[in-house]
Amino acid sequence: MDINFNKNEDHNKLLLSDLRKRLAKVKLGGGKERIEKLHKKGKMTARERIDYLLDDNTQSIEIGAFAGEGMYEEHGGCPSGGVIVKIGYIQKRICIVVANDATVKAGAWFPITAKKNLRAQEIAIENKIPIIYLVDSAGVYLPMQDEIFPDKEHFGRIFRNNAIMSSMGITQISAVMGSCVAGGAYLPIMSDEALIVDKTASIFLAGSYLVKAAIGESIDNETLGGATTHCEVSGVTDYKAKNDKDALDKIKNIMGKIGSFDKAGFNRIESIKPKENEDDIFGILPKARNEQYDMMEIIKRLVDNSEFEEYKAGYGKTIITGYARIDGWAVGIVANQRKIVKTTKAKTKPSEMQFGGVIYSDSADKATRFIANCNQKKIPLVFLQDVTGFMVGSKSEHGGIIKDGAKMVNAVSNSVVPKFTIIIGNSYGAGNYAMCGKAYDPRLIVAWPSAELAVMSGASAAKVLLQIETARLKKKGEKITQEKEDELFNEIKSRYDKQISPYYSASRLWTDAIINPLETRTWISMGIETANHSPIEKPFNLGVIQV
């Protein structure tokens, strides 16, 4: 191993250490004092509830842990978007669990809370897996009601999705374990079955204070909408639980009796760990995002037995395509090759060099054909992104790069097999789209701590923005010295670098998570297992494309 390997390893393990510190902070939600306050009421935290509900000694993955990070600071912040979402196993059945975090503004809904809830429902709908709601929320965060209430992808969409999932036969179970007020009261009651915890939980459209103000009636919250009222008088809820654990035990009992499901039938055999040392990933991945490396070395450390059957190995070399297995599951991999490669267009032409991480016409053409093959064979697709974009310049334009790029985007858009996207490094511009960015409906999309998402790199963007800014200042008659120009460049780059951080993307749910690279196999495996609950119902069709 050389000195560069050691430098890369140190850098990437520092990034991983930072990820772990950030996750530890996020997992405290609203803080230790609020957690203790919840415990004194005899209640469990959202994370404790999920951990108790999920099967022991099984894997789980968390969606949107960093949702809301750095947002709403003027309102006190919203760690994890005020709601915890995990995919895991209940009675050996894979499910998605959504739990309001009452330590964050009493579980109130911020705009990002609604977005995260909708993402959880989207996963349940796409994959036809059961969804469990653990409700403990004060309702919409009123100071921001205009950003959460009336639009298509706002709060009301949650209840619309409840109805759609019910019509699809997707199991929905709700446990009301604290406050459940106003419009939020519809969520548990639109589920298949609803439980309520005695004394600590309540459901009503308007609490006692509002009832007094609106109609002059004096009544306490327990009588108005407590467990006894709704289980014995209104019939709104189906089960009364003694405490949090009793409610969660009842959910386990219900889940243990659910029948089997139709499968998509994705191919799986016994899992084999990679032959190559997975930990080498930290030394292979360069410290600087513009440095070259061999993506094939990363692939060998992600796939079973480090075996990879490459498709069109000698053609379109800046994209690697091929078949492999991950945790036993058959997959088709589409990955950006990050080293400079030599390619020969024809026997009569000399070899030429192509830049790593750039999509050329031949690599786009190869990827399109490979995606079509995977769809025909019913093989899930895994995209490994480290892409700077499509090749530019007269040679590429005259060669039809736009047409070839459009074919690849068409194939990704119309793919009917499940897609999973791992952002390893760069995810710039149209390269993000062609390599199955968030807009192209990957079942799961995650980033490594080394990822960057933006229209272009921080340095490139800063140079462009600097030219615009200096031209504007010169127009106003200001003299721009080299010192002033350097100051402007650093200011612009600093601002842009913040926006290309994987944490900026994760906070806005442009990605589902930032993960330890060594967890990549788990995410892909659980993702395919989840997708296997949803049989493919339509044929693959590219529609009209320019040949």
Side-chain angles (χ1 to χ4, degrees), residues 446-482:
V446 298
W448 288 2
S450 49
E452 293 184 355
L453 287 80
V455 172
M456 60 183 76
S457 71
S460 298
K463 287 173 185 175
V464 174
L465 293 169
L466 178 65
Q467 290 173 7
I468 296 169
E469 181 65 9
T470 52
R472 185 185 71 81
L473 293 173
K474 285 176 181 176
K475 213 171 186 180
K476 290 172 65 177
E478 292 188 31
K479 186 178 179 181
I480 307 297
T481 64
Q482 185 61 49

Side-chain angles (χ1 to χ4, degrees), residues 76-93:
C78 188
S80 284
V83 62
I84 314 304
V85 176
K86 283 192 177 185
I87 298 174
Y89 302 89
I90 303 174
Q91 300 289 61
K92 300 181 181 179
R93 183 70 177 264

Side-chain angles (χ1 to χ4, degrees), residues 10-317:
D10 289 345
H11 172 76
N12 287 310
K13 288 195 172 179
L14 281 173
L15 292 180
L16 180 58
S17 176
D18 181 50
L19 170 63
R20 287 171 173 155
K21 287 176 185 175
R22 287 172 180 252
L23 279 171
K25 183 179 178 183
V26 155
K27 287 179 179 179
L28 290 175
K32 292 180 180 178
E33 287 185 14
R34 291 179 183 173
I35 291 172
E36 288 171 10
K37 190 176 178 182
L38 213 62
H39 286 163
K40 285 177 182 177
K41 292 180 180 178
K43 297 168 69 174
M44 303 164 75
T45 66
R47 291 185 179 277
E48 288 167 347
R49 287 167 176 168
I50 293 176
D51 288 345
Y52 183 84
L53 184 60
L54 297 181
D55 293 347
D56 294 334
N57 303 316
T58 58
Q59 293 177 322
S60 65
I61 54 179
E62 182 172 351
I63 305 295
F66 290 109
E69 181 168 284
M71 301 167 69
Y72 317 120
E73 290 181 356
E74 68 276 23
H75 298 278
C78 188
S80 284
V83 62
I84 314 304
V85 176
K86 283 192 177 185
I87 298 174
Y89 302 89
I90 303 174
Q91 300 289 61
K92 300 181 181 179
R93 183 70 177 264
I94 204 161
C95 307
I96 188 161
V97 185
V98 181
N100 299 113
D101 187 349
T103 69
V104 180
K105 288 286 191 296
W109 289 59
F110 284 71
I112 196 68
T113 316
K115 187 173 183 178
K116 188 169 174 179
N117 273 267
L118 288 170
R119 175 62 180 139
Q121 290 185 322
E122 179 183 41
I123 291 170
I125 291 169
E126 282 183 331
N127 299 292
K128 296 184 175 66
I129 59 169
I131 184 167
I132 315 298
Y133 307 99
L134 307 181
V135 183
D136 194 345
S137 171
V140 167
Y141 184 61
L142 291 177
M144 302 189 74
Q145 64 84 29
D146 61 320
E147 296 182 44
I148 188 174
F149 171 64
D151 208 350
K152 181 179 178 180
E153 298 298 326
H154 282 179
F155 192 64
R157 189 77 171 183
I158 307 284
F159 315 133
R160 175 263 187 193
N161 286 348
N162 288 143
I164 295 297
M165 283 190 279
S166 183
S167 72
M168 294 173 68
I170 296 171
T171 297
Q172 300 176 83
I173 303 170
S174 290
V176 180
M177 310 180 82
S179 297
C180 183
V181 301
Y186 286 105
L187 185 148
I189 311 312
M190 292 188 74
S191 300
D192 302 335
E193 296 183 85
L195 305 83
I196 185 169
V197 178
D198 196 18
K199 299 297 184 283
T200 57
S202 56
I203 309 172
F204 35 64
L205 296 180
S208 56
Y209 293 120
L210 187 53
V211 167
K212 177 68 174 176
I215 63 173
E217 180 184 0
S218 295
I219 188 169
D220 63 273
N221 283 340
E222 183 64 26
T223 306
L224 180 66
T228 299
T229 295
H230 285 311
C231 287
E232 299 177 18
V233 179
S234 71
V236 165
T237 50
D238 306 308
Y239 307 92
K240 184 199 286 189
K242 294 177 288 186
N243 51 42
D244 281 8
K245 287 187 176 181
D246 186 37
L248 299 169
D249 285 335
K250 289 180 186 297
I251 293 173
K252 291 181 184 183
N253 289 336
I254 295 169
M255 287 299 303
K257 296 174 178 64
I258 292 178
S260 188
F261 58 93
D262 294 333
K263 294 182 180 180
F266 302 123
N267 186 295
R268 191 181 197 185
I269 61 173
E270 186 178 347
S271 175
I272 304 173
K273 288 187 176 182
K275 188 184 294 182
E276 302 290 340
N277 184 1
E278 295 173 69
D279 207 56
D280 287 348
I281 286 172
F282 297 106
I284 295 166
L285 196 64
K287 178 178 178 180
R289 295 281 13 99
N290 60 350
E291 287 183 22
Q292 303 288 307
Y293 67 96
D294 189 353
M295 179 63 81
M296 192 66 79
E297 294 304 315
I298 299 289
I299 292 172
K300 288 177 183 176
R301 287 154 179 84
L302 294 177
V303 301
D304 287 13
N305 206 35
S306 300
E307 292 177 350
F308 183 70
E309 187 68 37
E310 191 170 1
Y311 172 82
K312 286 185 178 288
Y315 178 73
K317 294 180 181 179

